[in-house]
């Protein structure tokens, strides 16, 4: 039975009190016990985002003519990002509402480019197996074929494998800086050189690392080139709402030049409602997200981003060393950012995840190979020692035969044992149905 709208009005305080109460069962991200989804710095930072977002909550970035304020902020955000990623004056882009939208736009741009400039009716893209599912989604939505290249033993995509997958229909080669699963930057220089030598586009998905890697490099870390300084890179996505520390709903997608960006835009001149122009996927574009992104870039500046990167690197170093020192645990590859995965050769790593969950830690589960995932933010600085102590204890108890509390290990075990991926997708659809029915 659908719910009806309340018959009567309520006071603002009353509604807000109920709203806040709904949080009680949510992931406790402020305490640093959650490892993705939220990039929390501190309350002062959050207040800045709230105020900036609130100032422009009503404005709509769809109309650049109505809101020159937003147009200016967006242009500055895109320009600051282009500068950070070694772009020259030709580099152009737009803001979007997030990594997925940026990626969708890069794939749509590649499709249009291939159709119009190369006469390819059904363009293909080549992406590493570790690439974010937003590329699968883009391929699905835009009817583009996606071919997957396997990573090498170091978790970076194997460039020879990418080369092998090129066909006359290939439009775009993708690499990530870094991919989400293991945090190891793909060989962007080699991928971009390959793309360039074959007359193809090359997109770098720096959604996760874009606003982190340049600062890690300034701090002396060995970060391979990944942006427009690499010849052959033709587009790049980077999320402000991740390590850009902006409010949710903010990312940038950049192109080597304006001609490429034109393929992203959508126009429709026959609508009775007027001449319609839309730079990206969504219609209405939330002004608050643009304003908060602009505000945080000015608030932190290079100094602030460097401070956060320094803290994250120190925490990550401590965690990687600590995990490597725990018997039976193994970090996958050599991660470049504050993102990494670890597995175990002696205990079931999913059971380890459940045991940690029993102690309040929400570590994401991964597959192929089974692993637990960490994404470090400034909020994790305070909890690194406790996390390591808990990991050590949980791993040693499991190794001694003590059972883990019931959690998702059984489900991952079951799913891993089903060879038919369509059947697994069916389970996932049922799961989604259930989630959205229950609310
Ligand atoms: C490497 C990478 N690309 C793209 C995305 C998608 O970003 P969003 O969730 O903002 O759509 C993510 C999200 O974690 C990511 O890690």
């Amino acid at each position: 039975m659908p719910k009806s709208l309340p018959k009567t009005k309520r006071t603002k305080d009353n509604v807000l009190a109920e709203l806040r109460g709904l949080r009680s069962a949510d992931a406790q991200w402020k305490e640093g016990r959650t490892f993705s989804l939220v990039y929390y710095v501190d309350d002062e930072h959050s207040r800045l985002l709230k105020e900036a977002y609130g100032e422009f909550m009503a404005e709509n970035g769809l109309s650049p003519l109505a809101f020159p304020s937003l147009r200016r902020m967006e242009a500055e955000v895109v320009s600051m990002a282009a500068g950070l990623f070694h772009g020259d004056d030709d580099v152009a882009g737009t803001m979007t509402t997030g990594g997925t939208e940026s990626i969708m736009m890069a794939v749509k741009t590649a499709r249009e480019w291939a159709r119009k400039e190369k006469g390819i009716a059904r363009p293909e893209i080549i992406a590493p197996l570790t690439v974010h599912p937003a590329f699968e989604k883009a391929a699905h939505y835009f009817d583009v074929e996606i071919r997957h290249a396997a990573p090498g033993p170091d978790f970076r995509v194997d460039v020879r494998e990418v080369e092998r997958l090129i066909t006359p229909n290939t439009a775009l080669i993708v690499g990530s800086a870094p991919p989400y699963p293991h945090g190891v930057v793909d060989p962007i220089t080699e991928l971009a050189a390959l793309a360039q030598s074959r007359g193809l586009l090359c997109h770098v998905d720096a959604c996760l690392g874009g606003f982190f890697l340049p600062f890690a490099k300034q701090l002396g870390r060995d970060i391979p080139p990944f942006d427009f300084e690499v010849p052959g890179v033709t587009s790049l996505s980077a999320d402000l709402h991740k390590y850009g520390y902006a409010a949710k709903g903010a990312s940038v997608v950049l192109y080597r030049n304006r001609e490429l960006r034109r393929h992203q835009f959508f126009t429709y001149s026959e609508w009775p409602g007027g001449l319609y122009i839309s730079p990206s996927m969504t219609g209405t574009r939330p002004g608050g997200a643009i304003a908060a992104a602009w505000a945080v870039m000015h608030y932190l500046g290079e100094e602030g981003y460097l401070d956060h990167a320094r803290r994250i690197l120190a925490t990550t170093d401590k965690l990687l060393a600590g995990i490597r020192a725990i018997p039976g645990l193994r970090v996958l590859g050599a991660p470049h950012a504050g993102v990494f995965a670890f597995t175990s050769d002696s205990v079931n790593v999913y059971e380890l995840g459940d045991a940690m969950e029993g102690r309040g830690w929400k570590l994401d589960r991964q597959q192929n190979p089974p692993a637990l995932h960490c994404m470090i933010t400034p909020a994790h600085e305070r909890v690194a020692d406790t996390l390591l102590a808990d990991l050590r204890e949980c791993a040693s108890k499991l190794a001694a035969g003590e059972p883990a509390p019931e959690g998702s290990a059984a489900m991952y075990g079951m799913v891993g044992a089903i060879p038919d991926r369509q059947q697994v997708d069916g389970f996932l659809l049922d799961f989604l149905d259930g989630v959205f029915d229950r609310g």
Side-chain angles (χ1 to χ4, degrees), residues 61-240:
L62 178 61
S63 175
L65 300 179
F67 304 111
S69 55
L70 289 179
R71 192 175 68 203
R72 174 160 170 205
M73 285 187 254
E74 177 166 2
E76 284 192 19
V77 166
V78 167
S79 180
M80 285 189 274
L84 185 64
F85 302 131
H86 298 100
D88 58 18
D89 285 343
D90 290 338
V91 165
T94 67
M95 285 186 70
T96 68
T97 53
T100 299
E101 193 188 352
S102 287
I103 288 165
M104 306 268 272
M105 292 297 85
V107 171
K108 188 255 187 193
T109 296
R111 185 192 72 177
E112 297 302 292
W113 172 84
R115 281 183 180 165
K116 291 188 182 137
E117 318 262 328
K118 301 192 91 184
I120 300 173
R122 188 138 194 274
E124 298 170 2
I125 66 178
I126 302 172
L129 267 172
T130 52
V131 86
H132 191 272
F135 287 90
E136 321 300 324
K137 205 177 193 178
H140 176 71
Y141 281 16
F142 297 135
D143 197 23
V144 165
E145 171 123 4
I146 183 163
R147 309 181 114 227
H148 293 107
D154 57 359
F155 294 93
R156 302 172 346 130
V157 73
D158 181 343
V159 183
R160 280 166 313 178
E161 171 84 358
V162 173
E163 185 163 20
R164 212 179 47 76
L165 292 172
I166 295 177
T167 75
N169 291 332
T170 306
L172 175 73
I173 290 178
V174 180
S176 310
Y180 173 93
H182 315 110
V184 188
V185 177
D186 280 321
I188 302 298
T189 304
E190 290 84 346
L191 290 173
L194 175 63
Q196 200 172 29
S197 72
R198 301 296 187 93
L200 305 174
L201 301 180
C202 175
H203 180 82
V204 176
D205 178 19
C207 280
L208 182 52
F211 287 94
F212 181 84
L213 297 175
F215 304 107
K217 186 166 186 167
Q218 274 195 54
L219 293 169
R221 297 298 168 122
D222 186 16
I223 305 295
F226 71 94
D227 58 19
F228 289 108
E229 76 175 311
V230 179
V233 167
T234 52
S235 59
L236 180 146
S237 46
D239 288 356
L240 287 149

Side-chain angles (χ1 to χ4, degrees), residues 240-259:
L240 287 149
H241 65 197
K242 294 195 172 71
Y243 287 115
Y245 306 106
K248 291 282 188 288
S251 171
V252 288
V253 57
L254 303 173
Y255 299 94
R256 179 66 77 176
N257 55 48
R258 282 170 179 71
E259 290 77 63

Side-chain angles (χ1 to χ4, degrees), residues 26-46:
D26 284 1
Q28 301 295 303
W29 45 266
K30 256 194 187 184
E31 283 75 51
R33 288 182 168 250
T34 302
F35 283 89
S36 59
L37 303 172
V38 178
Y39 293 71
Y40 173 65
V41 179
D42 57 35
D43 286 348
E44 181 68 4
H45 183 107
S46 300

